[in-house]
Every structure is written in structure tokens, then in C-alpha cells.
Amino acid sequence: MSTAVSRTRARGVETLSLDAVDTRNALSAALVDALAHALADCAGDPGVRAVVLTHTGTTFCAGADLRDPPHPDALVGLLRQIVELPRPVVARVTGHVRAGGLGLLAACDITAAATTATFAFTEVRIGVAPAVISLPVIPRADPRALARHYLTGERFDPAEAVRLGLLTVAADDVDEALAPVLDGLRRSSPQALAETKRLLTARVLETFDRDAAGLTALSARLFSTPEAREGMTAFLERRDAAWVV
């Protein structure tokens, strides 16, 4: 398996760490594929009681890798895989989360971040929309608060992420905050965890069933437009896009 994702296990909890520090754990085709394979292994392993999704480096995930983006269908598949996994998936964040990284958070069942973490839906600033990641984000987030951040691309802090519904908890010590959570998962029956998760994710999966094809097509269309090409070029060149006034 690719080293884009590293793995450790302790007392039934499998930790999957996004480990592509050079690209700030951006969602490349290779990273998406590596994470999907690791999650599939966890789903088929009765020794895994829960999964922790975390990261190396100062960024949890910088969003899509603009130089090696995954196909929208692959990203849909990865997000759905997290939602459907018959094990709870817990996100542990100590760094920055942008764009598609927020889709990963929204797909997880429980999410915790250090108070130093930052968040932003930056898609509008490069000429696209948060299309595919809306599949898990919109069903789980407060719609009025989400509108501001979707439309402006502003950076926000963990307290705001909790208010939006994207974080379960923000804490100075994220591992201390997660200790009782992981203890509770270890004490819960595997059958009960799987069926309880199924109850909790039913409405999210209805959104996937209804909207995935349309949002995938929207994403592909927007990324092919001149405005998006200008936005991505401006981002890579660290300058304002042509439309900035």
C-alpha cells in the first residue's frame, strides 16, 4: 500500500494517518486510493473496533491536489466508504483543514480538533463549488451558518466548526478529549456499533443516493471552465485571481 497513508493499531483502534506532508495531505488520486484501500482492510478485519483518521504535519488535509486531482467519482466513493464503514470513524485533527478535507471530517462519525486548528471552504476562491463534499457536509451542518462559509471562503476556528456541526469537540489537548470516546467505543459491542451507526447515517446516505451523480457532474464541469483554470493558476502562483476587485 502507498505510504500516503500510514497505519498503527492499539487495543482494537486502527489509526490511519494521512502522510503526504510534502503536499499538505492534499487529496491526490494516490492518497484517495491509499485511504480507500486502508478503510476496506479495516472493514474486513474483525480485530478493528474503530478507526481514527488523523494526519502527520501541520495540515490535516489541504483539499484537492490541483496537480493530481482524484476523479470526482473516486472522491464520492471514498466519502461514502467512510459513512458506510461498519466501524465508527473518528477524526483527530491538530492542524489546518481546507475544502475537501472538510468533506472527510463531515463523513466521519465523531470529530475532534485541537484549538489551534483552522478551517475554510476555499472552493469559491478558485472558481469552483464545494460540490462533492456537500454530500456529507450539508446533511450534518447548520444551513444558515454554512451559507456564510460556503459563499465567502473565510477561515474559521474550531469553536465555529463546532457551532456548524462539523466538529464534535474542540480541546487544547485533543488526545485527552478523545480518550473517553475511544474507551466508550472499545466497551461497545461490534454488532451494536455497526447497527447504531447505520441508524445515524441513514439520512446522509439518502443524500448520496439522490445527489451524487448530479454533484459529480457539476464538479467535473466547473473544474473544466476558464474561470476555474484561472483560479487554480492564481492559487499555485500565490496571487489574486483576475476577478478579485
Side-chain angles (χ1 to χ4, degrees):
M1 187 186 70
S2 168
T3 55
V5 176
S6 59
R7 302 170 63 171
T8 60
R9 186 181 302 185
R11 296 179 54 213
V13 175
E14 186 89 357
T15 297
L16 306 179
S17 297
L18 305 183
D19 196 11
V21 177
D22 290 348
T23 59
R24 299 169 62 230
N25 295 320
L27 292 169
S28 64
L31 189 147
V32 167
D33 182 66
L35 183 54
H37 277 88
L39 289 166
D41 288 347
C42 291
D45 187 341
V48 176
R49 182 66 53 84
V51 175
V52 170
L53 180 61
T54 189
H55 60 104
T56 57
T58 59
T59 300
F60 174 76
C61 177
D65 187 330
L66 300 182
R67 291 187 171 90
D68 179 28
H71 191 281
D73 286 338
L75 183 55
V76 170
L78 176 64
L79 296 175
R80 181 161 193 148
Q81 188 179 13
I82 295 171
V83 175
E84 285 188 318
L85 200 79
R87 312 282 191 275
V89 182
V90 178
R92 173 191 175 275
V93 177
T94 62
H96 310 300
V97 190
R98 300 289 183 267
L102 282 155
L104 293 180
L105 285 191
C108 293
D109 303 291
I110 298 169
T111 54
T115 50
T116 53
T118 67
F119 308 84
F121 292 100
T122 52
E123 290 89 346
V124 290
R125 298 197 177 189
I126 64 166
V128 297
V132 168
I133 68 168
S134 288
L135 293 166
V137 169
I138 287 179
R140 285 178 159 161
D142 175 82
R144 182 60 70 186
L146 184 62
R148 171 177 177 169
H149 296 292
Y150 259 27
L151 291 169
T152 68
E154 291 174 272
R155 185 180 302 178
F156 55 97
D157 64 15
E160 177 71 353
V162 171
R163 188 174 79 86
L164 260 68
L166 297 172
L167 275 186
T168 308
V169 63
D172 291 334
D173 187 330
V174 71
D175 293 312
E176 182 178 313
L178 281 176
V181 172
L182 297 180
D183 180 64
L185 296 177
R186 288 181 173 111
R187 292 176 181 274
S188 302
S189 113
Q191 171 182 277
L193 286 175
E195 293 304 323
T196 301
K197 175 168 177 172
R198 192 188 304 271
L199 293 173
L200 291 167
T201 58
R203 290 186 178 178
V204 181
L205 290 172
E206 287 174 4
T207 302
F208 274 81
D209 292 338
R210 183 185 67 239
D211 298 334
L215 291 175
T216 299
L218 173 62
S219 179
R221 177 173 66 79
L222 288 175
F223 269 95
S224 68
T225 61
E227 240 176 66
R229 286 194 291 274
E230 161 61 13
M232 289 184 283
T233 301
F235 174 81
L236 294 171
E237 294 178 352
R238 299 182 181 275
R239 61 171 173 83
D240 284 342
W243 58 75
V244 175
V245 295

